[in-house]
């Protein structure tokens, strides 16, 4: 490692350091040294100050005053392009949601819309402690990349690819299989490893009902060749499995078919994965497929995902918010709380007896940190506070009515913490939010521009929402 003395040094001390490393170490009065974009040291405050304070300038020694320092959260399934569509599809059935609201909305987006939508979404991600996210797949990856660069976040961006399926908007159904692959290869060449290495480009498959066999296979091979990931919605609704069984002649649904064609690999991030048989959970475990569990979105649109069973089988499960029209809240803090409650509730419902021990707080915190990092294939550099990893850190202030008294730090982070408890966020060694202020973009201006862009987009897409109230 490069000599720390040659890089700017920052010492954060007198905090509770929740490392999320393999031994789950927590330092009650701990410190972290950041040198450039990486973590140089972690340990008890007294020892760190003794060893490193001679290297730091006075203003680069930060007293955390008992606050909690965590690795940044990883949101493994978010549609940044859908942020301008928040509220356009509340309380509607799935087909109305997709055909009458989301597809018209997304197919009328410009690159500038996508850029603004990602900036708006990024504000909410940062405020909820997210330092890295996996884009579920939109149309204008270059717009997303520009926003991610400015926000200072880390991301795995993907283009949503579709080459078949009923009811697609005209400009999408024109996309041939080869065009789908070629355009993603070009995005990879242009954006992969840009923004100081914060941006990676993945391949995206919207879902099996919009993918020909050729698209599935060519995506599998291109991702393998470029050593990158594939992000895909998998086994979302029973109808999807039924369609796969009847058209692709397999015993169960999507997962069985993906196993048959060799698409289940360790670089597949399978979003939702709600309707899986026991055998299919076994396929995931064997192939080291990663799952993004989106509790709020699943409750609203899809159903109960078998998270307890996946954990028991050894599947790596992380957390996602999904997009704004399926959840409305893009806070991974809320998803942590929901992940525990929903899976305890599901256990009572399916087993006929209560069992509050399932999906405990420590498991949920792993899902939001180190298992999120594994899911986006970046765990060698992020997901825990360890020497030589990237400095992606968040400072949580627990001294407010939402979290006191603090008897058990880990429990409090999952069951009590609100988004507002997150004070500061660092990504790649740079503060991107400090004392609740987003630093790299003008938040007020983005909010104002986003309101205008959303109005114009809905008009262009011909989406008119029914009035639910008789406004005076
Ligand atoms: Zn999604």
């Amino acid at each position: 490692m490069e000599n720390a003395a040659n890089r700017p040094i920052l010492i954060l001390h007198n905090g509770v350091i929740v490392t999320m490393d393999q031994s789950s170490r927590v330092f009650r009065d701990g410190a972290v040294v950041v040198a450039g974009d990486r973590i140089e040291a972690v340990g008890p405050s007294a020892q760190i100050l003794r060893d490193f304070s001679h290297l730091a300038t006075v203003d680069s020694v930060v007293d955390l005053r008992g606050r909690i320092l965590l690795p940044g959260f990883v949101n493994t399934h978010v549609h940044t392009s859908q942020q301008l569509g928040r509220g356009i599809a509340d309380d509607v059935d799935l087909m109305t949601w997709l055909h009458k609201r989301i597809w018209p909305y997304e197919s009328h987006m410009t690159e500038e819309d996508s850029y603004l939508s990602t900036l708006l979404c990024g504000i909410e991600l940062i405020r909820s402690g997210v330092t890295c996210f996996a884009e579920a797949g939109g149309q204008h990856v270059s717009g997303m990349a520009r926003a991610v660069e400015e926000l200072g976040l880390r991301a795995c961006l993907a283009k949503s690819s579709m080459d078949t399926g009923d009811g697609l908007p005209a400009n999408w159904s024109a996309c041939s299989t080869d065009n789908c692959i070629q355009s993603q290869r070009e995005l990879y060449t242009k954006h992969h490893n840009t923004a100081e290495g914060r941006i990676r480009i993945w391949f995206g498959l919207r879902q099996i009902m919009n993918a020909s066999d050729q698209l599935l296979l060519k995506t599998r091979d291109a991702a393998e060749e470029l050593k990158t990931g594939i992000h895909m919605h998998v086994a979302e609704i029973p109808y999807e499995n039924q369609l796969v069984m009847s058209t692709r002649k397999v015993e169960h649904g999507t997962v069985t078919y993906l196993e048959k064609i060799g698409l289940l690999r360790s670089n597949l991030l399978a979003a939702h994965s709600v309707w899986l048989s026991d055998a299919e959970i076994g396929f995931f475990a064997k192939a080291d497929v990663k799952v993004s569990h989106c509790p709020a979105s699943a409750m609203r649109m899809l159903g109960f995902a078998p998270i307890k069973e996946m954990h028991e089988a050894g599947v790596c499960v992380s957390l996602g918010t999904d997009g704004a029209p399926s959840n409305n809240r893009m806070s991974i803090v809320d998803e942590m709380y929901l992940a525990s409650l929903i899976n305890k509730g599901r256990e009572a419902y399916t087993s006929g007896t209560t069992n509050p021990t399932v999906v405990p707080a420590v498991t949920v915190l792993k899902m939001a940190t180190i298992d999120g990092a594994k899911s986006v294939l970046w765990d060698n550099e992020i997901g825990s506070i360890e020497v030589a990893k990237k400095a992606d850190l968040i400072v949580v202030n627990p001294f407010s009515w939402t979290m006191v008294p603090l008897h058990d730090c880990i429990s409090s982070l999952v069951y009590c913490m609100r988004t507002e408890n997150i004070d500061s966020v660092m990504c790649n060694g740079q503060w991107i939010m400090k004392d609740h202020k987003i630093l790299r973009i003008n938040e007020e201006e983005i909010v104002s521009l986003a309101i205008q862009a959303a109005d114009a987009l809905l008009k262009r897409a011909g989406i008119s929402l029914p009035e639910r109230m008789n406004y005076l």
Side-chain angles (χ1 to χ4, degrees), residues 386-444:
E386 292 181 74
V387 171
K389 280 200 169 182
K390 293 281 190 182
D392 288 10
L393 304 167
I394 58 180
V395 180
V396 175
N397 178 5
F399 305 116
S400 74
W401 61 270
T402 54
M403 288 184 76
V404 289
L406 203 70
H407 297 303
D408 177 329
C409 174
I410 304 297
S411 280
S412 292
L413 288 168
V414 172
Y415 296 126
C416 308
M417 178 168 62
R418 316 286 172 94
T419 294
E420 295 83 348
N421 287 103
I422 294 167
D423 267 4
S424 302
V425 177
M426 173 184 284
C427 183
N428 219 33
Q430 302 286 320
W431 292 113
I432 54 175
M433 182 171 85
K434 193 87 202 298
D435 301 325
H436 294 277
K437 182 165 174 46
I438 304 262
L439 295 178
R440 294 175 49 132
I441 54 161
N442 183 333
E443 183 173 346
E444 222 172 288

Side-chain angles (χ1 to χ4, degrees), residues 77 79 233 272 322:
H77 186 74
H79 296 254
H233 295 89
H272 303 305
D322 210 352

Side-chain angles (χ1 to χ4, degrees), residues 66-85:
R67 287 170 168 75
I68 302 168
L69 195 72
L70 279 166
F73 295 135
V74 184
N75 183 342
T76 59
H77 186 74
V78 54
H79 296 254
T80 57
S81 297
Q82 292 182 354
Q83 196 78 359
L84 299 182

Side-chain angles (χ1 to χ4, degrees), residues 4 29 39 50 91 94 96 107 150 176 201 205 296 358 368 404 428 443 462 472:
D29 177 1
I39 295 165
R50 192 179 60 230
D91 304 328
L94 196 60
T96 305
S107 62
E150 290 176 21
S176 71
I201 299 295
L205 287 163
V358 300
V404 289
N428 219 33
E443 183 173 346
L472 296 175

